[in-house]
Amino acid sequence: GQQLNQSPQSMFIQEGEDVSMNCTSSSIFNTWLWYKQDPGEGPVLLIALYKAGELTSNGRLTAQFGITRKDSFLNISASIPSDVGIYFCAGQSLGGNEKLTFGTGTRLTIIP
Amino acid sequence: DVKVTQSSRYLVKRTGEKVFLECVQDMDHENMFWYRQDPGLGLRLIYFSYDVKMKEKGDIPEGYSVSREKKERFSLILESASTNQTSMYLCASGGVDEQFFGPGTRLTVL
């Protein structure tokens, strides 16, 4: 099955730094989603994007739906300790069913 | 508060055992999903169901089956567990923009 290329695989940053991660696909998606998974929990939806070029914010998080429909970006500004976790992108391809394709995840660690 | 619950957080089974993982949602969603999560591979879809008694194979259905007898309950079955099925299993319900996940079941097959 298809998987999305997500990078970086892991990040070690200091509290207060900004974070950027991205996802790329060889095929077009009509919806992009970003999830966060805390340790020992299931993923929780952070941001949903529905139109090419769309830029959406949720507090310190900003995500963009790439113009080509083949990529998406997530930025976190002024990171705090509770940002630690694994971030997943997910896309739904054209075709109308409800399946999502997930990225491989970016593990964020904050160094005190 | 919306909820997806999974029957066990941790499970240890022996090779060859039949394993049932249960998932229940209280949101009246039609769609339910089973994923497995492995380091470096992200979430991979095993099976999904879009209605009672309806199921479709995901990307990695081999070695698994599912059952959906009631709308709120979706079960994942490992007919004969193998060590390569050691993984984190996540259940979800909803649609594209509202997939809600359970806390996961970490299954170890010895």
Side-chain angles (χ1 to χ4, degrees):
Chain A
Q2 182 185 22
Q3 275 194 302
L4 299 176
N5 295 314
Q6 188 172 345
S7 66
Q9 280 192 2
S10 60
M11 302 183 75
F12 294 84
I13 63 166
Q14 292 197 314
E15 185 176 346
E17 284 186 47
D18 297 342
V19 172
S20 291
M21 59 190 80
N22 69 82
C23 261
T24 58
S25 169
S26 57
S27 54
I28 289 171
F29 287 108
N30 66 340
T31 301
W32 282 95
L33 307 171
W34 284 93
Y35 284 85
K36 182 194 176 203
Q37 184 180 30
D38 288 328
E41 301 296 330
V44 173
L45 182 65
L46 298 173
I47 292 179
L49 301 157
Y50 302 106
K51 291 196 311 188
E54 181 181 353
L55 186 73
T56 297
S57 293
N58 178 5
R60 294 177 296 105
L61 278 62
T62 303
Q64 184 160 25
F65 192 141
I67 291 289
T68 65
R69 294 179 167 267
K70 293 183 178 181
D71 55 11
S72 181
F73 306 87
L74 176 70
N75 295 316
I76 306 172
S77 62
S79 58
I80 60 177
S82 61
D83 291 334
V84 163
I86 305 176
Y87 292 80
F88 292 101
C89 61
Q92 188 216 22
S93 51
L94 297 171
N97 67 38
E98 307 298 334
K99 289 196 303 181
L100 293 176
T101 300
F102 279 84
T104 49
T106 296
R107 183 180 293 274
L108 180 63
T109 303
I110 295 182
I111 306 164
Chain B
D1 206 11
V2 298
K3 258 220 162 87
V4 178
T5 55
Q6 295 184 229
S7 50
S8 306
R9 294 298 295 265
Y10 299 94
L11 212 51
V12 179
K13 295 291 182 181
R14 298 214 172 267
T15 302
E17 279 193 73
K18 190 168 185 175
V19 181
F20 292 86
L21 302 182
E22 306 284 342
C23 176
V24 177
Q25 51 103 356
D26 65 0
M27 295 165 280
D28 203 35
H29 286 147
E30 302 204 333
N31 302 315
M32 295 187 75
F33 308 82
W34 274 107
Y35 297 88
R36 66 176 280 177
Q37 181 181 5
D38 300 289
L41 297 178
L43 276 66
R44 292 179 293 166
L45 183 64
I46 304 171
Y47 267 97
F48 70 104
S49 168
Y50 50 90
D51 203 350
V52 174
K53 297 194 187 297
M54 306 301 285
K55 60 187 180 186
E56 279 202 29
K57 293 180 180 179
D59 299 318
I60 52 164
E62 297 78 18
Y64 303 94
S65 61
V66 290
S67 171
R68 186 131 181 239
E69 296 296 319
K70 293 185 177 182
K71 190 175 186 179
E72 67 270 19
R73 188 180 297 270
F74 191 34
S75 303
L76 180 70
I77 303 155
L78 287 67
E79 294 288 344
S80 178
S82 63
T83 54
N84 63 11
Q85 292 178 308
T86 291
S87 187
M88 169 72 89
Y89 291 87
L90 290 162
C91 173
S93 77
V96 168
D97 59 348
E98 57 175 319
Q99 272 196 32
F100 296 93
F101 283 84
T105 296
R106 186 167 291 283
L107 173 67
T108 301
V109 183
L110 302 175

